[in-house]
Amino acid sequence: MRTLALDIGNTAVKYGCFERDELLEWASGQTSAQVRAAVLRLHPEHVVVASVAGPTAVWAAELRALVPGRVLEFVPATTPLPLTNAYATPQTLGADRLAAAVGAAWLLPGRDVVIVDAGTAIKFDVVEGGQVFRGGSIAPGLAMRFKALHAFTGRLPLVAPLPEVADEIPLTGTDTESAIRSGVLNGAAAEVAGLLAAYTARYPKLAVVLAGGDAPFFRARLKGAIFVVPELVLIGLHRILVHHVAT
């Protein structure tokens, strides 16, 4: 079975094409025309579409005209899942968070897992025993922190991260720009490390999965065994679609 998973995020549209459970191809920053071209070229039997940016109806309608099988609009509160969703308000839960949890549970079956998705926001989410999604935390991402310092102050400039974000960021900034860069980047790294330490104390055999566009920055600053899976949300969407088709 060939499937296509479409993830419509706050800053980018991504797709992944799977043959059974193997990821054949994935891409980010796609337009609707590029997604349509990918579908026509890859010929998936079934498609799943999820969005944190708005309704999926328009995307789904176009996809239904292109694929022979099912087009699943993933809704966290109602779509059947291969794990238990214990979130208190599933109707407010982002599709990307739940899909990432499904992907991590499938990749690491039976494990306690924390997912760190570092993108527009920095999200922590926990799956217990590979079976129960508990929830987690949401904080501003790196770009949002830089923008907030500029937008909500009178004189602080808008500072972009250094291109070589994997390099060491000086602890002590020697001018305003380097001080902002130190505060945002070193502060976010310390925040993530501290939360991981707290979760590891609660779950001694915890597995850590890192995803999102800023994953390389954090991976270079975190210790221990960490699984870096950039396509985690797409994997989870694919597994949700497989579960849906099977049931």
Side-chain angles (χ1 to χ4, degrees):
M1 181 173 67
R2 179 169 288 194
T3 66
L4 187 126
L6 183 61
D7 172 28
I8 304 166
N10 287 306
T11 56
V13 174
K14 313 171 193 70
Y15 74 80
C17 182
F18 296 81
E19 184 76 51
R20 296 184 173 88
D21 289 324
E22 180 184 355
L23 180 60
L24 300 178
E25 171 181 315
W26 74 291
S28 181
Q30 300 295 288
T31 65
S32 59
Q34 289 172 316
V35 171
R36 179 184 177 87
V39 171
L40 292 173
R41 175 172 52 83
L42 295 167
H43 304 292
E45 298 171 56
H46 308 287
V47 174
V48 57
V49 55
S51 174
V52 297
T56 57
V58 173
W59 286 89
E62 182 170 357
L63 291 166
R64 287 190 179 99
L66 301 176
V67 299
R70 299 187 188 183
V71 174
L72 173 64
E73 295 181 68
F74 176 45
V75 180
T78 59
T79 301
L81 300 169
L83 51 69
T84 299
N85 183 6
Y87 204 66
T89 56
Q91 70 277 7
T92 69
L93 178 59
D96 56 342
R97 293 177 62 194
L98 193 52
V102 171
W106 181 74
L107 290 171
L108 297 161
R111 298 284 301 274
D112 293 326
V113 181
V114 63
I115 302 108
V116 184
D117 189 346
T120 303
I122 299 172
K123 294 162 288 191
F124 277 69
D125 282 302
V126 175
V127 178
E128 290 183 348
Q131 297 180 336
V132 181
F133 174 78
R134 289 295 180 191
S137 63
I138 306 172
L142 297 182
M144 194 181 299
R145 296 176 193 223
F146 282 113
K147 291 175 182 176
L149 280 174
H150 174 61
F152 295 107
T153 62
R155 298 181 62 185
L156 292 181
L158 178 59
V159 177
L162 290 171
E164 58 275 14
V165 292
D167 294 343
E168 183 179 356
I169 306 300
L171 180 63
T172 303
T174 56
D175 55 40
T176 300
E177 285 199 9
S178 62
I180 292 172
R181 193 170 285 118
S182 174
V184 169
L185 298 178
N186 288 324
E191 175 186 320
V192 169
L195 283 169
L196 284 179
Y199 275 118
T200 301
R202 179 172 296 183
Y203 302 98
K205 296 183 179 180
L206 184 71
V208 179
V209 179
L210 186 58
D214 289 328
F217 169 80
F218 288 103
R219 181 64 190 96
R221 288 159 176 78
L222 296 173
K223 298 178 181 178
I226 296 175
F227 300 92
V228 181
V229 187
E231 64 277 14
L232 184 64
V233 171
L234 296 173
I235 291 172
L237 289 173
H238 162 72
R239 293 306 308 170
I240 292 166
L241 178 57
V242 169
H243 180 76
H244 179 80
V245 171
T247 56

